Amino acid sequence: MNMIKRFKVSFSKIFNKLFKKKGACIGIYGPPNAGKTTLSNRILRDWVGSEETMGSVSHIAHETRHAKRRNGLIIETNGHTISLDIVDTPGLATKIDFHDFMEQGMSDSESKKRSKEATEGVIEAVKWLDDLDGVILVMDSTENPYTQVNVTVIGNMEARNLPLLIVANKVDLPDADPGVIKEAFPQHPMVPVSALEGMGMDSFYEALAKQFG
């Protein structure tokens, strides 16, 4: 190999190392208690290990009040391998009232603290949008999808030209109707899952690779 060829090969290796495309950073968004952290935990369980979690879950809204990021997830599906960073974000809400937490058995001081932190979490989640390559929007398939939160998030994603994947979660429940979500937002891909039970996850990973790979 002459000197010019050696130079070309060496330069190519250096260039690829320095400018190799990094994995997409994907935010997991949605209203409180839609199952965002449950989905995040399921992804880690499937691709990292059974002991890995992004955070705790609770029936009380706004359990996640600070965004958490996990880098370098390698997902293999349907013959494709993708690298992703995922960000589990606090639940988005248009109104946060500490009285709602008191009704769940929290003390006055605990409720006010949680309300303050939840409000800060919403602000943090919105700020994260500037650093994302795409969004997974988690919706509860037992509830009406035409909420202000869902419509606002989708409108915001469309305005930013961010790729969006809708996840219709909780399909294991008897009153789940993911078809209503698909009818509400037909312009975006949607996949029905139960993040808790692991139902539909193969289809989810295929959709994930297609949308963000």
Side-chain angles (χ1 to χ4, degrees):
M1 183 183 295
N2 61 39
M3 184 174 294
I4 294 177
K5 287 184 177 180
R6 286 199 299 268
F7 174 78
K8 286 182 177 179
V9 171
S10 299
F11 180 80
S12 177
K13 288 182 179 179
I14 294 172
F15 184 88
N16 289 336
K17 185 175 181 180
L18 290 176
F19 297 99
K20 182 179 180 181
K21 183 180 179 181
K22 297 180 179 179
C25 185
I26 307 301
I28 301 179
Y29 280 72
N33 285 0
K36 299 178 300 299
T37 300
T38 302
L39 178 62
S40 299
N41 289 343
R42 171 63 62 179
I43 294 171
L44 291 188
R45 189 179 311 158
D46 288 345
W47 299 104
V48 179
S50 60
E51 302 301 320
E52 294 286 339
T53 63
M54 286 289 277
S56 60
V57 297
S58 170
H59 70 282
I60 301 177
H62 299 286
E63 177 68 13
T64 300
R65 299 183 293 283
H66 300 285
K68 297 180 181 179
R69 178 171 182 165
R70 179 61 186 255
N71 295 332
L73 285 174
I74 305 299
I75 296 175
E76 299 176 352
T77 176
N78 201 26
H80 299 284
T81 300
I82 60 172
S83 174
L84 295 176
D85 300 344
I86 61 171
V87 182
D88 182 27
T89 65
L92 297 175
T94 56
K95 179 183 178 182
I96 300 174
D97 189 338
F98 78 93
H99 292 99
D100 294 334
F101 301 123
M102 293 185 67
E103 292 176 0
Q104 297 293 329
M106 288 186 170
S107 67
D108 180 82
S109 60
E110 289 175 330
S111 297
K112 290 179 178 177
K113 180 175 183 291
R114 194 180 186 97
S115 179
K116 180 177 181 294
E117 291 175 346
T119 302
E120 293 170 348
V122 170
I123 296 172
E124 182 184 7
V126 172
K127 288 181 178 179
W128 260 104
L129 291 172
D130 293 331
D131 299 317
L132 298 177
D133 301 302
V135 167
I136 297 169
L137 177 57
V138 183
M139 300 185 190
D140 185 338
S141 62
T142 69
E143 297 184 354
N144 177 14
Y146 294 100
T147 65
Q148 186 174 352
V149 168
N150 290 340
V151 172
T152 300
V153 170
I154 289 178
N156 200 312
M157 298 307 100
E158 291 174 345
R160 293 170 180 264
N161 292 317
L162 281 175
L164 176 66
L165 175 63
I166 297 175
V167 171
N169 194 26
K170 305 187 182 182
V171 297
D172 56 301
L173 300 180
D175 52 346
D177 191 355
V180 173
I181 295 176
K182 180 63 177 177
E183 292 173 2
F185 307 106
Q187 71 273 35
H188 297 289
M190 185 276 289
V191 57
V193 309
S194 169
L196 181 64
E197 300 296 335
M199 297 167 56
M201 293 305 295
D202 287 342
S203 296
F204 167 72
Y205 293 126
E206 291 178 9
L208 194 69
K210 183 176 181 180
Q211 191 72 349
F212 306 120

